[in-house]
Amino acid sequence: MAALGWLTPRRRSATARSVLAGEASAEAARKSSQDVALDVGPDEAAQEPEFPVLGDDRAAAFFDLDNTVMQGAALFHFGRGLYKRKFFETRDLVKFAWQQAWFRLAGIEDPEHMQDARDSALSIVKGHRVSELQSIGEEIYDEYMAERIWPGTRALAQAHLDAGQKVWLVTAAPVEIAQVIARRLGLTGALGTVAESVDGVYTGKLVGEPLHGPAKAEAVRALAAAEGLDLSRCAAYSDSHNDIPMLSLVGHPYAINPDTKLRRHARELDWRLRDYRTGRKAAKVGIPAAAGVGAVAGGTAAAIALHRRRR
């Protein structure tokens, strides 16, 4: 979840911090992927005649998280969970709620809101143990995130798994939370923003920068090199034009629940589109969805209702 408008991955070069963030995220993802267990039933699988290719071990799939795999922003729901556990106060929850409302209504990832959310999250976790946040992340997933997974996107991921391919989340959310979500969905692993820790304790700093925009592309590039993947045979899925650098890396880019700029860009380049927000089929549909679902009220209303009940 940075400046808008990247239209190609290499015409505007990634910064050194983007490369560092990408490489750090790829390293964290590879270390954790061996522990991920597949626990999703075959009834959620989706099929496509020609893609993904069965048994192609040099292909993989990369999925953005917020509004692609899950309705809303993972960082917001994580913040709600930390508030419930008294990591911070009501005024901070209101700030999280406003950022979530903007994200849902405007349909864009605002750089200033993202910066505020990042700084708030870092200050909240500073001094806490990594293991503590990982354990809490499991609980928060059950409380706020599990019911917000898009069935259609989940079916796309399962199609790759059924074809014997690895599937990775790629998100600006903290890598520890991203790994929890990946594990619960039966995915291979996750690339996420890496917060610095010393002796298992968060320092309140990042390694590089948030995994956003060009940094996502660098993370995918680094992981592909380490895993021996052929990016021209890989797929990537996202809702945001900020992820055009990542989508442009692969041979099979998909626009999922796309914002206006990504929808326009995808149509110009004849990328496949799928919109699960209303259940309608978009142009160039590649894989049938499990079942379209409508958008729900979202985290902001829930947070406000929670606050009102406690007054």
Side-chain angles (χ1 to χ4, degrees):
M1 308 173 328
L4 306 179
W6 289 291
L7 295 182
T8 59
R10 281 310 203 187
R11 290 179 183 174
R12 180 165 182 168
S13 299
T15 65
R17 289 175 63 83
S18 294
V19 174
L20 177 60
E23 291 177 346
S25 184
E27 181 180 359
R30 294 194 75 223
K31 286 180 178 178
S32 67
S33 65
Q34 60 186 1
D35 298 325
V36 175
L38 300 181
D39 58 2
V40 178
D43 59 317
E44 293 182 328
Q47 298 293 329
E48 183 183 45
E50 298 179 359
F51 184 80
V53 178
L54 182 66
D56 186 356
D57 60 4
R58 295 199 64 200
F62 303 94
F63 284 79
D64 169 56
L65 177 59
D66 295 348
N67 281 337
T68 302
V69 171
M70 183 181 72
Q71 300 173 51
L75 186 59
F76 168 74
H77 297 304
F78 184 55
R80 290 175 66 197
L82 294 182
Y83 170 77
K84 179 179 177 180
R85 290 159 179 81
K86 303 191 183 304
F87 273 65
F88 56 93
E89 299 179 357
T90 301
R91 65 174 179 272
D92 299 303
L93 179 64
V94 172
K95 189 174 185 179
F96 273 111
W98 162 245
Q99 291 162 346
Q100 174 75 351
W102 175 268
F103 184 56
R104 291 180 62 85
L105 296 175
I108 60 173
E109 297 167 332
D110 183 83
E112 292 185 6
H113 291 170
M114 288 166 53
Q115 176 74 39
D116 288 345
R118 181 188 70 189
D119 292 345
S120 297
L122 287 172
S123 65
I124 289 167
V125 303
K126 182 178 180 180
H128 288 274
R129 300 199 65 82
V130 175
S131 58
E132 177 188 9
L133 271 294
Q134 289 172 330
S135 177
I136 290 174
E138 298 279 355
E139 299 171 3
I140 292 174
Y141 177 82
D142 289 330
E143 292 169 2
Y144 301 117
M145 299 180 183
E147 64 182 15
R148 299 180 183 279
I149 302 300
W150 293 110
T153 312
R154 181 64 192 88
L156 297 177
Q158 188 62 40
H160 288 277
L161 294 172
D162 290 345
Q165 297 175 7
K166 293 182 176 180
V167 178
W168 306 84
L169 289 181
V170 188
T171 174
V175 67
E176 293 83 5
I177 302 306
Q179 289 169 352
V180 168
I181 297 170
R183 182 168 59 255
R184 291 302 192 90
L185 295 179
L187 310 183
T188 307
L191 299 153
T193 298
V194 178
E196 182 184 78
S197 62
V198 176
D199 296 328
V201 177
Y202 290 112
T203 66
K205 300 178 182 179
L206 291 182
V207 178
E209 64 183 15
L211 201 70
H212 180 77
K216 281 190 178 182
E218 293 301 326
V220 169
R221 197 190 308 276
L223 184 62
E227 294 275 312
L229 301 174
D230 181 347
L231 285 171
S232 69
R233 289 146 71 172
C234 292
Y237 301 79
S238 179
D239 72 298
S240 173
H241 69 281
N242 292 309
D243 287 338
I244 288 175
M246 177 181 74
L247 294 169
S248 300
L249 279 181
V250 301
H252 302 275
Y254 286 74
I256 305 295
N257 306 329
D259 62 29
T260 300
K261 290 184 179 180
L262 177 58
R263 184 181 293 274
R264 180 170 60 247
H265 189 78
R267 283 175 170 163
E268 289 173 355
L269 297 184
D270 203 29
W271 289 355
R272 292 186 172 112
L273 303 175
R274 169 66 79 177
D275 197 323
Y276 298 118
R277 290 167 294 190
T278 63
R280 72 179 185 274
K281 292 183 178 180
K284 297 294 181 183
V285 170
I287 302 178
V293 294
V296 298
T300 302
I304 293 173
L306 174 66
H307 179 54
R308 284 176 177 170
R309 285 198 301 270
R310 290 180 174 178
R311 290 179 62 182

